[in-house]
Amino acid sequence: MTTQQLIEQINIKKSFLCVGLDVDLNKIPQHFLALEDPIFEFNKAIIDATHDLAVAYKPNTAFFEAYGIKGWRSLQKTINYINENYPDVFTIADAKRGDIGNTSSMYAKAFFEDLNFDSITVAPYMGKDSVEPFLAFENKHTIMLALTSNEGAFDFQTLDTDGKELYKRVLETSKTWKNSENLMYVVGATKAEYFTEIRKIVPDSFLLVPGVGAQGGSLSEVCKYGMNANVGLLINSSRGIIYASKDVDFADKAREEALKIQQEMAAILESK
Amino acid sequence: MTTQQLIEQINIKKSFLCVGLDVDLNKIPQHFLALEDPIFEFNKAIIDATHDLAVAYKPNTAFFEAYGIKGWRSLQKTINYINENYPDVFTIADAKRGDIGNTSSMYAKAFFEDLNFDSITVAPYMGKDSVEPFLAFENKHTIMLALTSNEGAFDFQTLDTDGKELYKRVLETSKTWKNSENLMYVVGATKAEYFTEIRKIVPDSFLLVPGVGAQGGSLSEVCKYGMNANVGLLINSSRGIIYASKDVDFADKAREEALKIQQEMAAILESK
């Protein structure tokens, strides 16, 4: 999917919601456990119930890998289901990958070709040659960690590096990399005031924003400081939507939660 | 495996060699392609040919994930084969994982429990709560990126952070984390002179050292500056060993290359 097509979908759906698929078998309705592939069946139900309200889905690879081969099969079925039934949806492999060049090329092949995701999250620590192999794929997007929403974000990301915080230097440096137009960035919602500074460095880039809802961030604050002319935001919610209920009504409740966020987003887009 | 058991194995085998299993189907003897699981069969042959010369094997997850479910099955068969046949070998999942706490817990479960690796490589960018979930596993080891051997290492890892390079701060900070005795570190061999400084910060930790051979690092230089009283080094070689020949004699040639390194290691240990 191109960035332009993503922007069109945001305008059509009046939504920039991304639903995170972090499926923990202990937290889903227990009748799923009798099925052959509980994770896929749960994801399918969530996607069917929310696809007109969300522009993106973000399966978190850890929650699949924890179940080995079976989990990897659930991941493949989930992405295939989205691509076949809802091709207008933007897909994100939340994988936080990053390694030396020839290894990153293999990860890119795994997620962009074998699984056919539109995008993948990557970690910046190993620098340019660990990220550029992902950027080489046309119409695929590489979402690099900049400032995350967890407590540990303050261990290294905000360290002062010659008068500038590390995450700002990560943003700046990445703009010099080949095919950097294929970059997006992860910026946590728990720090809305940081968005003003971030937008000075990457005014046009899409930002994937976790931390709204369960992790405490405010949607209106993030939009106030982080939105650009093309919206430029994908706001992720995982647990708040997919675990809205553990009962048989879980899909309806997930839709209700997604609808609340989508309506708030529609109002924000309207007021722009 | 405990650290003490690893040290014992180093002394028994007179080796601190780690063989990296980065299997690219284009680079292995082509008769393997007719087999049902070429990656596993190739790994098995390499392991059988080198197990008395190496103390560790390091499958690189990217090279399995690139083949989807089939690749994940090859990974599972490879680690099971090692655990069943050579239980004295230390196993490393070279996965470079790292995410917020509950996600890192799922990765730890995937690699430490489901696949039963002794250790996993992780990235430090997200800080304490992204790494501590791995450290919580008893007799499992978490090998964190400090200073890598690629060109991009100089993009961020060596940035000056208030008078100290970032990788040094990563080392120092990680020592304050819970169960930090379960940490090892990745330090690239292409920068042997850095080992002196690194040993001032982490005198007792094991260091996993890529970059000897194909990437240009010198074994004797690394040992000169990086070895401690318990050896404290695992020197990785991947391509130099596993792709020593593309012909039917590939396993013999792999053994020859491993033996050269092991003999050099034995001489270094002898001279200590």
Side-chain angles (χ1 to χ4, degrees):
Chain A
M1 180 180 283
T2 65
T3 307
Q4 199 50 48
Q5 288 170 324
L6 172 60
I7 295 167
E8 280 166 24
Q9 285 301 310
I10 290 172
N11 290 323
I12 290 169
K13 292 182 174 173
K14 298 186 199 314
S15 168
F16 40 101
L17 172 63
C18 172
V19 177
L21 301 172
D22 307 5
V23 182
D24 183 336
L25 290 183
N26 299 315
K27 293 183 183 164
I28 66 176
Q30 296 301 294
H31 68 271
F32 275 102
L33 301 186
L35 302 178
E36 197 260 326
D37 189 341
I39 296 181
F40 167 66
E41 297 296 343
F42 178 78
N43 284 341
K44 181 174 173 298
I46 293 287
I47 294 162
D48 286 340
T50 58
H51 69 91
D52 57 321
L53 305 172
V55 291
Y57 288 95
K58 181 174 73 62
N60 182 328
T61 55
F63 288 74
F64 297 88
E65 290 177 19
Y67 302 101
I69 292 166
K70 224 176 147 176
W72 200 266
R73 187 178 294 119
S74 304
L75 177 62
Q76 190 147 58
K77 284 166 73 177
T78 300
I79 181 67
N80 287 350
Y81 185 77
I82 298 172
N83 283 337
E84 283 162 19
N85 294 279
Y86 308 110
D88 292 336
V89 159
F90 186 74
T91 54
I92 302 168
D94 197 1
K96 312 277 197 310
R97 298 298 197 264
D99 206 310
I100 60 169
N102 70 326
T103 300
S104 278
S105 293
M106 294 305 267
Y107 281 127
K109 187 174 167 323
F111 289 97
F112 290 157
E113 290 184 351
D114 185 64
L115 292 169
N116 199 16
F117 274 93
D118 290 313
S119 67
I120 183 173
T121 57
V122 303
Y125 192 72
M126 293 182 69
K128 173 175 166 162
D129 51 326
S130 71
V131 179
E132 282 188 344
F134 293 99
L135 299 177
F137 285 72
E138 211 175 346
N139 295 331
K140 298 289 185 179
H141 307 266
T142 304
I143 310 177
M144 192 165 75
L145 299 178
L147 185 62
T148 59
S149 58
N150 62 319
E151 190 193 329
F154 298 101
D155 282 337
F156 308 120
Q157 297 167 25
T158 52
L159 281 179
D160 180 69
T161 60
D162 271 335
K164 194 166 285 179
E165 289 148 303
L166 177 60
Y167 76 92
K168 289 185 186 170
R169 212 166 280 277
V170 165
L171 290 168
E172 280 181 0
T173 302
S174 70
K175 290 175 72 179
T176 68
W177 296 343
K178 195 173 175 190
N179 300 311
S180 63
E181 68 277 8
N182 293 332
L183 276 170
M184 301 180 174
Y185 302 94
V186 173
V187 178
T190 45
K191 306 165 184 82
E193 69 274 24
Y194 286 77
F195 279 87
T196 310
E197 293 293 304
I198 287 167
R199 277 300 183 205
K200 287 182 190 162
I201 308 171
V202 287
D204 301 326
S205 303
F206 261 87
L207 307 179
L208 172 63
V209 185
V212 165
Q215 291 175 62
S218 148
L219 176 61
S220 61
E221 286 289 296
V222 169
C223 292
K224 184 174 165 190
Y225 299 110
M227 201 172 260
N228 66 18
N230 288 321
V231 181
L233 296 172
L234 290 171
I235 305 282
N236 184 73
S237 176
S238 301
R239 287 166 277 175
I241 292 176
I242 68 175
Y243 302 138
S245 162
K246 212 183 164 172
D247 296 325
V248 286
D249 66 347
F250 74 98
D252 292 339
K253 292 291 180 194
R255 182 175 176 80
E256 275 176 32
E257 290 303 315
L259 185 62
K260 271 188 222 164
I261 300 174
Q262 185 273 328
Q263 285 177 339
E264 201 182 337
M265 288 176 170
I268 289 168
L269 292 173
E270 185 76 22
S271 72
K272 265 188 68 178
Chain B
M1 180 180 283
T2 65
T3 307
Q4 199 50 47
Q5 288 170 322
L6 172 60
I7 295 167
E8 280 166 22
Q9 285 301 309
I10 290 172
N11 290 323
I12 291 169
K13 293 183 174 174
K14 298 186 198 315
S15 168
F16 41 101
L17 173 62
C18 171
V19 177
L21 301 172
D22 307 5
V23 182
D24 183 336
L25 290 183
N26 298 314
K27 292 184 183 163
I28 66 176
Q30 295 303 292
H31 69 272
F32 276 102
L33 302 186
L35 303 177
E36 199 259 328
D37 189 341
I39 295 181
F40 167 67
E41 296 295 344
F42 178 78
N43 285 341
K44 181 173 172 300
I46 293 287
I47 294 160
D48 286 341
T50 59
H51 69 91
D52 56 322
L53 305 172
V55 291
Y57 289 95
K58 179 174 74 62
N60 181 327
T61 55
F63 287 74
F64 297 88
E65 291 178 17
Y67 302 102
I69 293 166
K70 224 177 144 174
W72 201 266
R73 187 177 295 120
S74 303
L75 177 62
Q76 190 147 58
K77 284 165 73 177
T78 300
I79 180 68
N80 287 350
Y81 185 77
I82 299 172
N83 284 337
E84 283 162 20
N85 294 280
Y86 308 110
D88 291 336
V89 159
F90 186 73
T91 53
I92 303 169
D94 196 3
K96 310 280 197 309
R97 299 297 197 263
D99 206 310
I100 60 170
N102 69 326
T103 300
S104 278
S105 294
M106 294 305 266
Y107 280 128
K109 188 173 166 324
F111 289 97
F112 290 157
E113 290 184 350
D114 185 64
L115 291 170
N116 198 16
F117 274 93
D118 290 313
S119 67
I120 183 174
T121 57
V122 303
Y125 193 73
M126 293 181 70
K128 174 176 165 160
D129 50 327
S130 72
V131 178
E132 282 188 344
F134 293 99
L135 299 177
F137 285 74
E138 210 175 347
N139 294 334
K140 299 288 185 178
H141 307 266
T142 304
I143 310 176
M144 192 164 75
L145 298 178
L147 185 62
T148 59
S149 59
N150 63 320
E151 190 194 326
F154 299 102
D155 282 338
F156 308 121
Q157 297 167 26
T158 53
L159 281 178
D160 179 70
T161 60
D162 272 334
K164 195 166 284 177
E165 289 147 303
L166 176 60
Y167 76 90
K168 290 186 187 168
R169 213 167 278 280
V170 164
L171 289 168
E172 280 181 1
T173 302
S174 70
K175 290 174 71 179
T176 67
W177 297 342
K178 194 174 177 190
N179 300 311
S180 63
E181 68 278 8
N182 293 333
L183 275 169
M184 299 180 175
Y185 302 95
V186 173
V187 178
T190 46
K191 307 166 185 80
E193 69 273 25
Y194 286 76
F195 279 86
T196 310
E197 293 294 304
I198 288 166
R199 278 300 181 205
K200 288 183 190 160
I201 307 170
V202 287
D204 302 324
S205 304
F206 260 88
L207 307 179
L208 172 63
V209 185
V212 165
Q215 290 174 62
S218 149
L219 176 61
S220 61
E221 286 289 295
V222 168
C223 292
K224 185 175 166 188
Y225 299 109
M227 200 172 261
N228 66 18
N230 287 321
V231 182
L233 296 172
L234 291 171
I235 305 282
N236 184 72
S237 176
S238 302
R239 285 166 280 176
I241 292 175
I242 67 175
Y243 302 139
S245 162
K246 212 182 163 172
D247 295 326
V248 285
D249 66 347
F250 74 98
D252 292 339
K253 293 290 180 193
R255 181 173 176 81
E256 276 175 32
E257 289 303 316
L259 185 62
K260 271 187 224 166
I261 300 174
Q262 184 273 328
Q263 285 177 339
E264 201 182 339
M265 288 175 169
I268 291 168
L269 293 174
E270 187 73 21
S271 71
K272 265 188 69 180

